[in-house]
Amino acid sequence: MFRAVFLDLDDTLFDRTAAVQRWAATMLPELDEADERWLLACDARGRRSRLDFATDLVARFELPTRADVLASAFPLQLASHVEREAGVREQIARLAIQTRVAIVTNGSGAAQRMKLRRLGLDQLVHAVFISGELGIAKPDPEIFQRALRWSGQAATDCVFVGDDPVNDIAPAAALGFVTAWRERDAWPSELPPPTHRLASLAALEQVCA
Ligand SMILES: [Mg+2]
């Protein structure tokens, strides 16, 4: 067992694409399949600037709102559409009995904390590191180091779990963490491979055994 387990939030502990689809069903109920594909590409799993995303959305769907207003409202709106996946809360609860468990996530404090509450994880994990509250975001090594200092452990005795090769896995690996990549897209060939690949979060159980 690792001395500490650090977990990304979006697309690691819940399906962000499903949350975007639920958001769209409420906010843009007229979308056809092509619109929905366009929307997901435009969002790029949350990796594009929120203002660029909102600007493109307002233009394509001729929304009666300003792009900057949508860009700042979207994160909390999306958070309100996050849903628990079967078994995830129970799995994190088992883990939190055995070792230190912390979340390391990029986003606003309000949105990320709402997601944790909706997932039933806010009272389960031992620490939460949110870029919007700390003023440092992944892939900046400082946010990983802060989390590590909190744990009091060496990186080599800890695992970092995330879906983003560039923001989660590469910086964690550079600091010496064992890495577990929650597979979503293809692994970028230019990056050294993660220590472990997780087809689902349930696969983390074996990695941590
Ligand atoms: Mg993520």
Side-chain angles (χ1 to χ4, degrees):
M1 175 51 81
F2 297 100
R3 295 301 193 90
V5 175
F6 298 96
L7 297 140
D8 166 56
L9 181 50
D10 292 48
D11 263 343
T12 295
L13 293 175
F14 71 93
D15 182 349
R16 189 177 177 287
T17 297
V20 172
Q21 286 167 328
R22 285 189 289 270
W23 173 84
T26 309
M27 307 299 284
L28 308 165
E30 305 290 297
L31 298 198
D32 60 21
E33 260 181 54
D35 286 332
E36 205 173 281
R37 273 198 304 280
W38 178 91
L39 173 70
L40 293 176
C42 179
D43 174 55
R45 292 193 186 285
R47 287 169 196 167
R48 285 184 75 211
S49 110
R50 293 300 80 191
L51 187 58
D52 291 350
F53 166 71
T55 302
D56 290 353
L57 228 66
V58 167
R60 174 158 177 139
F61 300 117
E62 298 174 348
L63 302 178
T65 181
R66 278 183 12 216
D68 61 330
V69 172
L70 177 61
S72 52
F74 179 77
L76 263 187
Q77 291 174 358
L78 181 66
S80 74
H81 290 282
V82 166
E83 286 182 10
R84 293 181 194 189
E85 284 165 51
V88 170
R89 185 178 186 279
E90 293 73 12
Q91 189 184 349
I92 301 302
R94 285 193 295 277
L95 207 54
I97 292 169
Q98 301 169 65
T99 189
R100 295 168 187 81
V101 178
I103 304 292
V104 183
T105 177
N106 284 356
S108 81
Q112 300 311 83
R113 288 188 185 278
M114 183 193 281
K115 290 171 185 170
L116 288 169
R117 279 196 303 278
R118 292 186 58 82
L119 297 169
L121 298 175
D122 56 317
Q123 302 295 320
L124 270 188
V125 298
H126 304 125
V128 177
F129 299 86
I130 302 175
S131 67
E133 294 177 349
L134 298 171
I136 348 154
K138 298 180 291 184
D140 187 332
E142 179 56 26
I143 192 165
F144 294 83
Q145 275 157 346
R146 283 224 199 165
L148 205 53
R149 280 199 295 276
W150 160 82
S151 73
Q153 305 300 321
T156 48
D157 294 328
C158 302
V159 65
F160 197 97
V161 186
D163 70 291
D164 190 321
V166 173
N167 285 333
D168 295 318
I169 303 301
L175 291 170
F177 285 88
V178 175
T179 57
W181 177 52
R182 174 70 177 89
E183 293 180 62
R184 293 284 180 186
D185 303 315
W187 182 262
S189 54
E190 69 275 13
L191 291 178
T195 323
H196 302 280
R197 289 168 177 257
L198 310 175
S200 70
L201 193 70
L204 182 63
E205 208 113 32
Q206 272 103 52
V207 170
C208 289

